[in-house]
Amino acid sequence: MRCAHDDLKATNDRLSEATANRDFAYYVDIASAMGDLPQPAGSAIQWFDEAHTVRTRWRTLVTTRRERLHAQR
């Protein structure tokens, strides 16, 4: 049985393939951060802030939203 993390990794791999021409390649970095996956190897994306800061912001969006959804139940 596959877990959600495996599904997320597989989806992120497909996203990497879809953006291999470098158009919208930053989606892979964002999806990795949101899913708490390792940063893609060899990423050429340059953010205005440090990569760690950007990853933390994206991850915080996910965790905050998840907490709010669980609180509404």
Side-chain angles (χ1 to χ4, degrees), residues 3-56:
C3 71
H5 191 272
D6 292 336
D7 290 340
L8 179 59
K9 173 79 172 91
T11 300
N12 211 34
D13 288 345
R14 287 192 304 275
L15 182 58
S16 291
E17 292 172 13
T19 60
N21 66 357
R22 305 303 294 163
D23 288 342
F24 307 102
Y26 59 94
Y27 286 175
V28 177
D29 286 44
I30 292 170
S32 296
M34 293 176 85
D36 202 23
L37 297 173
Q39 183 171 346
S43 175
I45 304 304
Q46 294 185 2
W47 302 101
F48 290 118
D49 293 319
E50 292 182 28
H52 174 74
T53 301
V54 174
R55 286 182 60 84
T56 300

